[in-house]
Amino acid sequence: MEEIITSNNDLIIQNDNVPVPAEGKTLYITPETDGFNYKGILGKVVQYVNMADIVGKIQAGTKYVVQIPAEHQEAFETGQYFMMQNQKTGKMWPSLMKVAENGRNQVVTPLPIAEEGFFQGSPVQDLAVGYHNMLVQQQITQLTVMMEETYKAVERIEHGQMDDRIGLLEAGKNGMILAMTMPEGEERTMQINSSRLNLLTAHAQIGQTLQRRVNEFQPVSKHATVRFMKELSHSGYLARKDNEVCEMQEYYDLYLQATRMIAASYVVCGDLKTAEKIFEISEQTMDALDFKKVKSIEYSHGDMSKMFYHCPVEYITTEKQVCMEESKKYDYVAVEVSGEKLLEVIGNVRSEEI
C-alpha cells in the first residue's frame, strides 16, 4: 500500500486503489487531553477493530494515531464513506497512522472492523456526539455571560430603565440556560423554541434601535475650526459625540451576541441551515446601514480601526464561519498512542478474550 499523508483534519490520497476523504473534522485525543478516560477509550478502540492482525507492524518507540470514523452504519447505508474503502472487497476501515518526524501522519495500514462491531455501530460515536454537544452547551453558557455584561452597559445607556428589548433578551437568555439543564426531549425543545422567540424579538428591536441611532447621528465636522467653535459654544460637545458612538458600539455588540445566541439555539437542535440563515439576516441588516456620518467621529480622534462601523458585516461573517465550523459533528475520533502502549493494550484485550 502506498503512503497516504494526513494532517489532523485532511487526508491526501496517493494511491488510486484506496479512496479516502479529502476533508473531515477530527476529535483528536492524546494521553494529556483533559476530560477523557484515555485508557477506557483506547481499550474500546482496540476491541472494535482487529488490531491483533497487525501487531507485527507496530514498533516500540514510535508514536501512532488510531483514527476511527465516528459513524459507520450511517455512512454504510447512505454511501457517503467517511473512511478508507477497499475497492476489491468493499470493506471500510479505520486506519493506523504513524506520527512522522515532521509531525505529519502517515498511514501504516487500514484496520479491519470487527464484523459484529460494524453492524452494531461504532463505540466511539457516542463519545464524539457527547463531546460535540458539551462544546455547544459551553458556547451557549459563555454567550449568556457576555450578553449579560453587554446589556447591563446598554441599561446604563437607557438611564437604568429595563425596556422591552432588554427584558426580552434576558428572558431568552435565561430560558436557554434552563433548557441546557433539561434532558433531551419534547419539553426541552419547547423551552428552546420559547426562548428563541424572545431572542428573535429582542434581536429585531436592537437592530432597529441601532439603525435609528446611526441615522440620527449628526456628523462631526472635518474642519478643526468648526469643531473648536462648537466645543466653545457647547461645552462638552465632543465628549457627547464620543458617547453617542460608544453607545452605538454597545448596541452593535449586543446585536452580534443576540445573533450568535439565536444561531446556537438552532445548532443545539441540529438545524444548521437555519442557524446560518440568522447570520445572513444580520449581515443584510448591517449592510443596509450607512455609517458614513458615524465615521466622522475620527476627525477628532484619528484612526479608530477596531470600531464596529469599519467592518459591521465582516464581523458577523467571521462569527458565522466560526459558528458553522464548530457546529459540524465530528467525522473522526483519533487517538494518539505510543507503540509500547498500543502493544500492551492489544495484549491485554487478547488475554481477556482467551
Side-chain angles (χ1 to χ4, degrees):
M1 176 178 175
E2 295 183 22
E3 181 183 273
I4 302 174
I5 301 175
T6 174
S7 66
N8 282 353
N9 291 329
D10 301 326
L11 294 174
I12 304 172
I13 182 66
Q14 292 188 337
N15 185 335
D16 292 337
N17 294 324
V18 188
V20 295
E23 297 179 352
K25 184 176 178 181
T26 301
L27 173 56
Y28 198 90
I29 303 172
T30 73
E32 292 76 33
T33 305
D34 294 330
F36 293 97
N37 179 358
Y38 176 80
K39 184 177 180 180
I41 292 170
L42 187 58
K44 286 183 178 180
V45 167
V46 170
Q47 292 181 59
Y48 181 66
V49 298
N50 294 327
M51 296 287 293
D53 296 346
I54 50 91
V55 167
K57 296 185 179 182
I58 302 173
Q59 300 176 356
T62 301
K63 186 182 293 182
Y64 293 93
V65 175
V66 182
Q67 180 167 279
I68 308 289
E71 297 185 20
H72 286 307
Q73 188 63 25
E74 181 180 347
F76 177 76
E77 293 173 350
T78 64
Q80 297 174 348
Y81 303 144
F82 297 110
M83 60 209 81
M84 289 189 294
Q85 180 183 30
N86 185 300
Q87 289 190 340
K88 293 182 180 179
T89 66
K91 286 195 173 184
M92 292 173 287
W93 298 306
S95 58
L96 176 69
M97 295 177 287
K98 178 175 66 177
V99 180
E101 292 181 1
N102 61 5
R104 303 187 75 184
N105 296 339
Q106 299 173 340
V107 170
V108 175
T109 180
L111 300 172
I113 304 167
E115 189 76 18
E116 64 277 9
F118 180 85
F119 290 101
Q120 290 172 2
S122 169
V124 298
Q125 182 173 348
D126 288 343
L127 171 70
V129 172
Y131 187 68
H132 174 266
N133 291 341
M134 181 190 73
L135 290 180
V136 171
Q137 293 190 23
Q138 286 180 349
Q139 292 163 14
I140 290 176
T141 301
Q142 293 168 358
L143 276 172
T144 59
V145 174
M146 293 173 59
M147 288 175 63
E148 186 169 357
E149 292 175 350
T150 306
Y151 70 58
K152 282 182 178 179
V154 173
E155 279 187 78
R156 291 193 294 270
I157 294 170
E158 299 292 335
H159 309 294
Q161 296 179 357
M162 179 67 80
D163 62 12
D164 291 342
R165 56 187 176 278
I166 302 299
L168 285 169
L169 194 60
E170 183 167 19
K173 179 208 71 171
N174 291 337
M176 286 301 297
I177 293 175
L178 179 60
M180 292 302 98
T181 64
M182 301 168 66
E184 292 189 22
E186 185 177 349
E187 188 175 353
R188 183 189 193 217
T189 300
M190 291 175 60
Q191 178 64 45
I192 292 173
N193 291 340
S194 175
S195 303
R196 185 190 300 128
L197 181 60
N198 287 329
L199 290 169
L200 284 166
T201 303
H203 178 258
Q205 292 180 350
I206 292 167
Q208 290 175 350
T209 300
L210 179 59
Q211 179 182 25
R212 173 177 58 79
R213 284 176 169 263
V214 168
N215 292 336
E216 292 178 353
F217 185 79
Q218 294 300 310
V220 175
S221 175
K222 66 179 180 180
H223 301 292
T225 303
V226 175
R227 296 198 301 271
F228 175 76
M229 293 302 296
K230 285 198 173 185
E231 180 67 27
L232 193 63
S233 58
H234 302 89
S235 179
Y237 164 77
L238 293 177
R240 286 192 295 273
K241 302 304 289 185
D242 288 346
N243 288 339
E244 286 185 56
V245 175
C246 288
E247 289 169 4
M248 280 186 270
Q249 177 74 62
E250 298 286 0
Y251 276 109
Y252 178 83
D253 291 344
L254 200 56
Y255 185 77
L256 180 57
Q257 290 163 20
T259 301
R260 292 175 60 189
M261 179 64 84
I262 295 168
S265 75
Y266 284 112
V267 168
V268 78
C269 294
D271 189 353
L272 304 190
K273 185 176 180 180
T274 308
E276 186 172 16
K277 184 63 178 179
I278 188 63
F279 280 108
E280 293 174 359
I281 290 173
S282 295
E283 288 172 333
Q284 293 166 5
T285 299
M286 290 299 105
D287 191 47
L289 298 182
D290 186 353
F291 293 96
K292 288 180 182 178
K293 293 190 295 183
V294 181
K295 290 179 182 179
S296 68
I297 194 68
E298 296 188 1
Y299 288 131
S300 61
H301 288 282
D303 180 44
M304 297 173 68
S305 58
K306 294 185 178 181
M307 293 296 288
F308 75 99
Y309 51 73
H310 280 289
C311 304
V313 176
E314 289 78 2
Y315 287 135
I316 295 173
T317 301
T318 298
E319 291 292 344
K320 176 177 68 175
Q321 293 169 347
V322 171
C323 176
M324 300 316 298
E325 180 59 34
E326 292 178 343
S327 300
K328 293 178 182 176
K329 293 183 178 179
Y330 289 102
D331 298 306
Y332 299 96
V333 173
V335 183
E336 186 178 286
V337 59
S338 66
E340 293 89 341
K341 185 65 177 177
L342 188 53
L343 289 169
E344 177 189 334
V345 174
I346 292 173
N348 290 340
V349 170
R350 294 184 70 181
S351 298
E352 290 174 5
E353 289 176 349
I354 293 172

PDB file of all heavy atoms in Angstrom, residues 64 139 219 259 281 352:
ATOM      1  N   TYR A  64       1.869   6.519  17.389  1.00  0.00           N
ATOM      2  CA  TYR A  64       0.841   6.192  16.408  1.00  0.00           C
ATOM      3  C   TYR A  64      -0.446   6.977  16.680  1.00  0.00           C
ATOM      4  O   TYR A  64      -0.660   7.501  17.778  1.00  0.00           O
ATOM      5  CB  TYR A  64       0.521   4.694  16.441  1.00  0.00           C
ATOM      6  CG  TYR A  64       1.657   3.823  15.967  1.00  0.00           C
ATOM      7  CD1 TYR A  64       2.567   3.302  16.878  1.00  0.00           C
ATOM      8  CD2 TYR A  64       1.826   3.532  14.622  1.00  0.00           C
ATOM      9  CE1 TYR A  64       3.629   2.504  16.458  1.00  0.00           C
ATOM     10  CE2 TYR A  64       2.877   2.742  14.183  1.00  0.00           C
ATOM     11  CZ  TYR A  64       3.776   2.233  15.098  1.00  0.00           C
ATOM     12  OH  TYR A  64       4.818   1.453  14.674  1.00  0.00           O
ATOM     13  N   GLN A 139     -20.560  26.812  24.758  1.00  0.00           N
ATOM     14  CA  GLN A 139     -20.623  28.045  23.980  1.00  0.00           C
ATOM     15  C   GLN A 139     -21.835  28.876  24.371  1.00  0.00           C
ATOM     16  O   GLN A 139     -21.754  30.108  24.470  1.00  0.00           O
ATOM     17  CB  GLN A 139     -20.663  27.714  22.486  1.00  0.00           C
ATOM     18  CG  GLN A 139     -19.366  27.118  21.952  1.00  0.00           C
ATOM     19  CD  GLN A 139     -19.551  26.426  20.622  1.00  0.00           C
ATOM     20  OE1 GLN A 139     -20.567  26.602  19.962  1.00  0.00           O
ATOM     21  NE2 GLN A 139     -18.581  25.611  20.240  1.00  0.00           N
ATOM     22  N   PRO A 219     -23.085  64.331  11.982  1.00  0.00           N
ATOM     23  CA  PRO A 219     -21.653  64.149  11.767  1.00  0.00           C
ATOM     24  C   PRO A 219     -20.802  65.235  12.403  1.00  0.00           C
ATOM     25  O   PRO A 219     -21.244  66.377  12.587  1.00  0.00           O
ATOM     26  CB  PRO A 219     -21.522  64.167  10.240  1.00  0.00           C
ATOM     27  CG  PRO A 219     -22.713  64.948   9.772  1.00  0.00           C
ATOM     28  CD  PRO A 219     -23.811  64.607  10.729  1.00  0.00           C
ATOM     29  N   THR A 259     -27.399  37.541  17.836  1.00  0.00           N
ATOM     30  CA  THR A 259     -27.339  36.725  16.617  1.00  0.00           C
ATOM     31  C   THR A 259     -26.699  35.375  16.913  1.00  0.00           C
ATOM     32  O   THR A 259     -27.200  34.323  16.503  1.00  0.00           O
ATOM     33  CB  THR A 259     -26.520  37.447  15.532  1.00  0.00           C
ATOM     34  OG1 THR A 259     -27.113  38.716  15.237  1.00  0.00           O
ATOM     35  CG2 THR A 259     -26.469  36.614  14.254  1.00  0.00           C
ATOM     36  N   ILE A 281     -29.273  37.078   7.788  1.00  0.00           N
ATOM     37  CA  ILE A 281     -30.228  38.159   8.041  1.00  0.00           C
ATOM     38  C   ILE A 281     -29.525  39.331   8.721  1.00  0.00           C
ATOM     39  O   ILE A 281     -29.739  40.503   8.361  1.00  0.00           O
ATOM     40  CB  ILE A 281     -31.395  37.645   8.917  1.00  0.00           C
ATOM     41  CG1 ILE A 281     -32.268  36.676   8.118  1.00  0.00           C
ATOM     42  CG2 ILE A 281     -32.231  38.818   9.444  1.00  0.00           C
ATOM     43  CD1 ILE A 281     -33.329  35.986   8.942  1.00  0.00           C
ATOM     44  N   GLU A 352      -7.911 -11.206  27.746  1.00  0.00           N
ATOM     45  CA  GLU A 352      -9.283 -11.224  28.243  1.00  0.00           C
ATOM     46  C   GLU A 352     -10.170 -12.096  27.366  1.00  0.00           C
ATOM     47  O   GLU A 352     -11.042 -12.811  27.859  1.00  0.00           O
ATOM     48  CB  GLU A 352      -9.831  -9.783  28.273  1.00  0.00           C
ATOM     49  CG  GLU A 352      -9.172  -8.908  29.352  1.00  0.00           C
ATOM     50  CD  GLU A 352      -9.626  -7.465  29.263  1.00  0.00           C
ATOM     51  OE1 GLU A 352     -10.512  -7.195  28.430  1.00  0.00           O
ATOM     52  OE2 GLU A 352      -9.112  -6.643  30.017  1.00  0.00           O
TER      53      GLU A 352
END
